[in-house]
Amino acid sequence: MMYYNPEKPKTNCFTCEGSGIVYEGEHFPSDPNNPCVHAETCPDCMGLRYRRMRIVLDVENTTTKRNNKTHMDPFEVNNFLVQVGTKNVDVPSERHLLTFDHVEYTDRSGDNSRLLQTILDKTTLLIMHNAQHDLMWLWASGFKYDGDIYDTM
């Protein structure tokens, strides 16, 4: 539902029938800078708060040099997934740098793998630069994601 009234502040989300005016798409309940005043009592707002999760993701991996050519793919025996960084666009304070196999640390507990899969399970839009490369690494490393993708490349 869309409302317009220039006399009132934009404090409600577009799903809420309460007072206040907001254009659809201009506000989302999970936005900490523009919270819905009815978010705790409005079932639509409470449901939407966790529905949209846009994640920016970047993969860091080792590479192998052979015959003067750099091989960056996960199918090289000596290449490893080093780190994955994520940032939630809708809640900017929610960001993670997950280390998997680094000279200084290796995730032997599996905690980082579980956390990354949880993030991917909740993600509604995955934003990456060179998504083909990053998705290939994620899938080859056992992670699952088949949602929407936005590639900045």
Side-chain angles (χ1 to χ4, degrees):
M1 184 170 278
M2 296 171 77
Y3 296 95
Y4 176 71
N5 181 344
E7 304 299 316
K8 293 190 175 184
K10 297 177 181 181
T11 56
N12 290 359
C13 95
F14 63 88
T15 62
C16 187
E17 296 288 336
S19 62
I21 308 307
V22 165
Y23 288 104
E24 185 171 357
E26 206 171 328
H27 165 72
F28 209 78
S30 63
D31 179 0
N33 298 320
N34 191 12
C36 174
V37 295
H38 300 286
E40 298 306 317
T41 57
C42 173
D44 291 332
C45 294
M46 290 185 341
L48 280 174
R49 182 181 303 177
Y50 301 104
R51 188 177 301 159
R52 181 170 86 171
M53 191 162 140
R54 298 173 298 169
I55 296 293
V56 176
L57 182 141
D58 185 41
V59 165
E60 299 299 327
N61 56 274
T62 58
T63 60
T64 300
K65 201 160 194 113
R66 187 175 64 250
N67 300 330
N68 291 328
K69 184 176 179 189
T70 302
H71 299 269
M72 300 169 43
D73 63 88
F75 309 110
E76 288 290 324
V77 178
N78 294 320
N79 286 355
F80 301 99
L81 180 64
V82 177
Q83 288 181 324
V84 175
T86 65
K87 181 174 180 179
N88 188 332
V89 174
D90 300 302
V91 184
S93 62
E94 185 180 306
R95 54 185 183 241
H96 302 278
L97 182 59
L98 306 169
T99 303
F100 295 96
D101 192 354
H102 189 271
V103 69
E104 296 175 5
Y105 174 80
T106 299
D107 179 32
R108 298 194 192 290
S109 68
D111 290 343
N112 288 345
S113 294
R114 284 188 290 280
L115 177 56
L116 180 56
Q117 188 58 60
T118 299
I119 292 168
L120 291 171
D121 290 344
K122 294 178 181 179
T123 298
T124 56
L125 177 66
L126 198 54
I127 304 163
M128 297 168 281
H129 185 76
N130 193 2
Q132 179 180 351
H133 172 82
D134 289 352
L135 281 171
M136 185 170 45
W137 268 99
L138 291 174
W139 291 334
S141 299
F143 296 102
K144 295 176 179 22
Y145 182 78
D146 62 358
D148 292 336
I149 297 163
Y150 182 82
D151 192 343
T152 62
M153 193 164 166

